[in-house]
Amino acid sequence: MDTTRTLEPQRHLPTGTDPGVRTRLRTAGDFVRSPEGHAAVMGFLGAAMITFGGFGAGAVRKRDPLLEALHLSWLRFGHGYALSTIVIWAGVLMMITAWVRLGRTTIGKGGATVTLNELRAIVGIWITPLLFAAPMFSRDAYSYLAQGALLRDGFDPYQVGPIANPGVLLDNVSPVWTHTTAPYGPLFLLIGRAITMLTGDNIIAGTIAMRVVMLPGLALMMWAVPYLTKHLGGKPTVALWLAVLNPLVLIHLVGGVHNELLMVGLMCAGIALVLERHHVAGIVVVAIGVAIKATAGVALPFLVWIWMLHEKERRAARRAAAHPEQRPTEDQRHPDAARATADMPHPVLMFAKIAGLGVSVFALVFLAASAIAGVGFGWVTALQGSNKIINWLSLPTVLAHMVTWVTPLRLDPVLSVTRELCKFALVVLLVAIWWRFRHSEREAVLGIVIAFVAIVLLSPAALPWYYSWPLALAAGFALSTVTLQWLVGICTWLMLVFQPDGSIGLYNFWHVALATFAAVVAALSLRTVDPLHLRSASSRAAATGAPAPSVPA
């Protein structure tokens, strides 16, 4: 933690306490009394409420012997379920409130400051209760375990769904996915196999183990996201607050046990390594991310541009050292990875060389993981399994619904057409984005961000936690307060539009209306302490540090 704070003497420490312990205790006490310390405590209490409420209203097992043994089964039914739901939503709102308050401190509102180490400590504080929660807002964890058990028991998860291996794990898989083959990379299947070999059919142990295995992804994000700001121009503390401490990320990716946590962490770390000119190592790390989930592969073509720009800079620097009298070339003033220059007269050949090397490294990593897992490339066709998801977060679905409003056509045939049209548009758009964003490191990373947003919007299906893909990279750029407010509002809305048990709340008008109201309040609260003017004048003055207005006698 930051030890530069003004520390008050602690007069009640035991005599003989080690000076180093005294310093740490004083620092911890000062932190707890600070605005960010208050936010840390509030967020921890919110996470604890989510964990407790999740035992009754989360994505719980269909039969829970542990709750029965503890005489807590009543939490899952009737008034107990209603109480559990209220506790979860109260915890979620507390975490969002704490996050926004911490955001005000992070961006410098109110004169307070917060350090990277303090934010990293708060991440640990907030996720601790969530490590022991039932899966929250999604039942994907049960699918992960069932697919790992398929590989453990000699099945090919790319050929058969969990239905082929009846048992306790299958009983808890969402009916939508029981017949669906695994859409994940071979490395993730190996992780699932290792966990199920260790925990057997114990769902509680398997869920906790799956979370623990995902935590290296969170650690990589905590390192890589602030580090990216060195190249992208952002502020490290703001980046960490926005991309990691975000309740959308912590509740969905940690609480919901999603492999995006590992995939995004590896992708960000790989991009950071490439930006630092460790090109092969970076591509290896991104390839490992693709072996978790294929989405990380979107970054690879853009990394080729960065590698080519670095090669041009290296050759130009070597030429400048040999001929210092020469002026900077046009390409140095306006770089373009695809432009022929004196330093790189044949960019097509260089592109083929670099891309070929990148593909070879990627293929080596992926083939090794596939060989160890003993599976083929069936995950490519399994990616179509997401077509079973229909919700308003996907543009093809929105367009299909709009057509049915003004025509007598049914949703299913229209949806198949809109999905195909959006797929075609996505392919064209991805190629155009890749070609457009080739002029600098920042442009290439921005291209990855835009490509991810396009994929989320135009894919047949989208889920709230998919937005963690572009968010992790976008946080590294210099963002205005207005932009941050928009992102806070969007993240809050996405956090609130699903139910704690994993069902979709988008088709309930009042649910969406309340989520939208909360999102607007959260966005306004990033700049204004009390946007709804609910506090008294004296409490508002205390919060902002301004003197309270006098009241005439």
Side-chain angles (χ1 to χ4, degrees), residues 250-266:
L250 295 184
I251 297 175
H252 273 304
L253 299 192
V254 178
V257 202
H258 288 293
N259 56 13
E260 269 84 0
L261 185 61
L262 199 52
M263 183 269 285
V264 172
L266 288 164

Side-chain angles (χ1 to χ4, degrees), residues 73-92:
S73 293
W74 60 273
L75 291 172
R76 303 177 59 188
F77 308 101
H79 295 302
Y81 177 81
L83 177 62
S84 298
T85 303
I86 293 171
V87 170
I88 289 176
W89 284 121
V92 170

